[in-house]
Amino acid sequence: MMEFLTQGWILELGWIVAKIMVVIGPLLIAVAYLTLAERRVIGFMQLRKGPNVVGPFGLFQPFADALKLMAKETIMPAGANKVVFMIAPMLTFILSLVAWAVIPFGEDLVIADINVGILYLFAISSLGVYGVIMAGWASNSKYAFLGALRSAAQMVSYEVSMGLVIINVLLCAGSLNLSDIVEAQRGMWFALPLLPMFVVFFISTLAETNRAPFDLPEGESELVAGYFVEYSSMSFALFFLGEYANMILMSSMTVVLFLGGWLPPFDIWPLNIIPGPLWFIIKIMLVLFVFLWVRATTPRYRYDQLMRLGWKIFLPFSLIYVVLTAGFLLVTDRLPAVTLS
Amino acid sequence: MIEALFFYLFAGVMLASGFMVVVSRNPVYSVLFLILAFFNAAGMFVLIGAEFLAMLLVVVYVGAVAVLFLFVVMMLDINFAEMRAGFQKYLPLGLIVGGILVFELVAAMYGDAFSKASLPVASEIANTTQLGGVLYTKYAFLFQIAGLILLVAMIGAISLTMRKRVGVRRQSIAAQNSRRREDVMEIVKMPSGKAKAKDDAAAGSVDDK
């Protein structure tokens, strides 16, 4: 009896681990190729070629970079707080991976289909600030610390408007479950009725992932490289990977909330034979391309402009839009039905 | 069985990190352990089926409040020796507060407040839906009052810390955007003495080229 129980338990655990591996493996490869895509795309936008030497079209460049980083020496700064210094990059990387547990890749293609999926995503993304702030503090360096403080203030500010944008989507979907949110977009993607919120959300994700034009935490012209200036070798690579995994995560969050997740744009013949996960990946890639496009074309924001945008424009705007959306849904009697007890 | 295992894991780590919050010498460590304690509390909420509260705990306390704690603690210039010096002075006060808390917890445990409140809800409806159902209908006024209290606290904090300094240059983006070209720009034809003479000379010799 006992043996049978333990075996069932092990099988279940093995199945879960297998599912996690199926998500994490391709994700890491996607992260590697996103770094290459970034350099190539920005290269073409700036009329350069970008890295094209290692392998055909430079396709082996990520592996060359990874090997180079691994071969380098890990340097521990003299006055650094060793424990926190080493935990910070791990935390960043782990947080960028655990959020994938609730992302639905297709109908029933999700590791954990929990009721509060969107809140879980929101919670995990709000924890990303700890990796940055711990790294900045533990490095015992002015530049790293200033970068970390900037980043903490920036991420906390933009989270507020992101939360309000999510409320808009929830009002339309009537559920916190990500699969339900995608299903609610079967008739029309939320990007159309909530277009202003879609734009606000996308800009907030740029700020949340510390990407250009909001990459002040690592503004190299004033802070050298910001919070990870003291990091080298693999600990630097973990920050780097975490940042790109976060970009992909935020893109997939945008896709789930606004661009109909795994649903085809129209439910007509040539479009609906393409499997759901493929649609999901295509949409993520489109959003990621815009991430790179923005980086290649916009100058960096000044810090007070960044704060002004977050607190004085996005916050009131999304708050008013919540009232508008709720009012519209109530008046036209389109509020999603919720069964109580 | 696995649930019991996780309960003891979360509870154990939470107690240990709570203890470390108190005894850590470095206040930054204290805050980090506090965050760990919050996390494990969230895990225990999940175990009793209160997933909404668990996520709220992480979003509000770990994602916002503890960040500000950490922010403040890291910026402080702390004298560790001075901090330890007050320990014996404050020990009796701490013991009294702790004793009152223990007494209240024990009293609540033997009363029937706990046995009713802490039972996991066996319901098909997600507890987010249930909370929303009563929060905006039955307790709408209390909800509004809570919101007003927070608003007052926020306005109070702003009015306490805001000061208008003279001589600070500020950017008014609305004013900048509303400027028109005609108001702020003037194109002046400016004949300069030496260059003009040269130009005249050049104009005379154009035909030569």
Side-chain angles (χ1 to χ4, degrees):
Chain A
M1 179 70 189
M2 197 64 209
E3 225 175 56
F4 170 71
L5 267 180
T6 48
Q7 265 181 352
W9 183 72
I10 285 170
L11 267 180
E12 204 177 324
L13 197 73
W15 176 232
I16 292 174
V17 170
K19 281 200 281 191
I20 292 172
M21 286 304 151
V22 167
V23 174
I24 298 289
L27 175 68
L28 290 179
I29 295 170
V31 166
Y33 276 98
L34 179 60
T35 63
L36 177 69
E38 171 166 43
R39 294 162 73 186
R40 292 286 282 181
V41 167
I42 293 180
F44 282 126
M45 282 179 183
Q46 296 168 345
L47 302 181
R48 297 181 285 118
K49 284 204 159 140
N52 62 349
V53 177
V54 190
F57 307 108
L59 279 179
F60 298 144
Q61 182 71 37
F63 300 104
D65 287 340
L67 280 177
K68 185 201 76 174
L69 276 172
M70 273 186 238
K72 286 205 166 183
E73 182 194 354
T74 308
I75 298 166
M76 183 74 71
N81 186 317
K82 291 194 177 55
V83 182
V84 181
F85 188 80
M86 288 322 289
I87 289 177
M90 294 181 206
L91 189 72
T92 306
F93 187 61
I94 291 170
L95 285 176
S96 65
L97 294 186
V98 289
W100 285 90
V102 294
I103 299 282
F105 292 90
E107 238 164 303
D108 296 325
L109 274 179
V110 49
I111 296 176
D113 194 21
I114 62 175
N115 282 331
V116 287
I118 187 67
L119 273 180
Y120 174 83
L121 271 185
F122 192 56
I124 296 292
S125 73
S126 74
L127 295 181
V129 63
Y130 282 110
V132 175
I133 209 171
M134 280 162 78
W137 179 76
S139 298
N140 196 25
S141 149
K142 302 179 195 64
Y143 298 119
F145 191 57
L146 279 173
L149 288 184
R150 279 185 181 184
S151 156
Q154 172 181 334
M155 286 171 142
V156 171
S157 307
Y158 277 83
E159 236 155 57
V160 183
S161 57
M162 252 173 97
L164 284 169
V165 173
I166 289 175
I167 292 177
N168 274 301
V169 173
L170 297 183
L171 276 171
C172 297
S175 172
L176 291 168
N177 182 300
L178 290 174
S179 304
D180 290 350
I181 291 175
V182 173
E183 279 302 325
Q185 303 179 55
R186 206 169 261 289
M188 190 198 295
W189 295 356
F190 287 150
L192 288 175
L194 298 174
L195 184 65
M197 289 298 101
F198 176 49
V199 175
V200 169
F201 187 81
F202 180 73
I203 297 174
S204 299
T205 56
L206 286 178
E208 192 75 7
T209 46
N210 292 329
R211 292 287 300 177
F214 306 111
D215 53 350
L216 287 149
E218 45 195 280
E220 59 277 295
S221 48
E222 31 209 295
L223 289 180
V224 192
Y227 58 89
F228 52 66
V229 63
E230 302 290 347
Y231 284 85
S232 59
S233 180
M234 277 318 282
S235 53
F236 168 75
L238 283 182
F239 270 121
F240 200 69
L241 291 176
E243 185 185 329
Y244 282 83
N246 257 331
M247 272 169 72
I248 304 181
L249 176 71
M250 284 295 173
S251 311
S252 68
M253 205 165 151
T254 313
V255 168
V256 166
L257 289 180
F258 290 101
L259 298 177
W262 66 81
L263 299 173
F266 302 101
D267 203 4
I268 48 174
W269 173 68
L271 294 177
N272 59 16
I273 52 164
I274 299 174
L278 206 61
W279 272 118
F280 191 64
I281 290 166
I282 291 171
K283 288 172 187 173
I284 289 180
M285 277 167 23
L286 275 176
V287 179
L288 281 174
F289 177 76
V290 183
F291 263 78
L292 307 182
W293 189 7
V294 168
R295 180 168 175 200
T297 47
T298 54
R300 185 176 293 137
Y301 259 53
R302 214 173 54 211
Y303 194 68
D304 60 317
Q305 292 172 330
L306 173 94
M307 283 296 158
R308 176 180 171 274
L309 185 68
W311 287 106
K312 292 188 180 169
I313 298 174
F314 281 0
L315 183 59
F317 183 52
S318 48
L319 192 59
I320 289 169
Y321 215 87
V322 169
V323 177
L324 281 181
T325 311
F328 178 78
L329 290 172
L330 194 67
V331 168
T332 55
D333 205 22
R334 286 170 201 226
L335 273 175
V338 171
T339 46
L340 280 172
S341 59
Chain B
M1 199 217 55
I2 294 177
E3 265 163 38
L5 211 70
F6 272 107
F7 172 77
Y8 286 113
L9 179 74
F10 287 142
V13 175
M14 187 165 86
L15 286 178
S17 51
F19 184 70
M20 291 304 290
V21 173
V22 183
V23 300
S24 287
R25 275 163 177 267
N26 190 335
V28 174
Y29 284 168
S30 289
V31 178
L32 292 177
F33 276 117
L34 185 67
I35 292 161
L36 192 60
F38 280 147
F39 245 115
N40 286 284
M44 283 165 71
F45 270 131
V46 170
L47 284 186
I48 63 167
E51 72 263 13
F52 184 72
L53 280 181
M55 290 306 144
L56 221 56
L57 186 72
V58 176
V59 171
V60 175
Y61 283 92
V62 183
V65 175
V67 172
L68 295 181
F69 273 9
L70 206 58
F71 220 83
V72 172
V73 166
M74 280 178 177
M75 303 272 267
L76 289 178
D77 186 23
I78 297 154
N79 186 341
F80 292 108
E82 209 174 274
M83 270 186 67
R84 305 300 296 177
F87 186 72
Q88 294 206 327
K89 202 171 89 188
Y90 295 122
L91 188 64
L93 189 68
L95 282 179
I96 292 171
V97 173
I100 291 172
L101 268 178
V102 168
F103 173 74
E104 281 177 349
L105 277 178
V106 171
M109 220 184 293
Y110 283 102
D112 50 29
F114 253 122
S115 54
K116 276 179 193 162
S118 66
L119 282 177
V121 189
S123 169
E124 285 296 307
I125 299 157
N127 58 46
T128 318
T129 320
Q130 288 178 329
L131 270 176
V134 290
L135 192 60
Y136 297 111
T137 52
K138 203 173 165 190
Y139 299 110
F141 282 114
L142 293 175
F143 183 70
Q144 291 284 332
I145 289 169
L148 277 179
I149 292 172
L150 287 175
L151 184 67
V152 168
M154 196 163 81
I155 294 173
I158 292 171
S159 67
L160 279 177
T161 51
M162 183 127 126
R163 55 193 171 124
K164 280 263 189 285
R165 284 183 294 176
V166 283
V168 178
R169 285 169 163 271
R170 283 178 191 283
Q171 183 182 25
S172 169
I173 291 179
Q176 279 185 347
N177 283 341
S178 61
R179 295 197 322 172
R180 285 180 309 156
R181 185 161 171 268
E182 298 88 70
D183 299 340
V184 291
M185 262 178 70
E186 192 184 355
I187 297 174
V188 186
K189 278 247 169 29
M190 197 63 168
S192 69
K194 207 173 170 187
K196 193 163 188 294
K198 235 182 191 174
D199 280 355
D200 285 348
S205 60
V206 160
D207 299 329
D208 299 352
K209 278 190 176 173

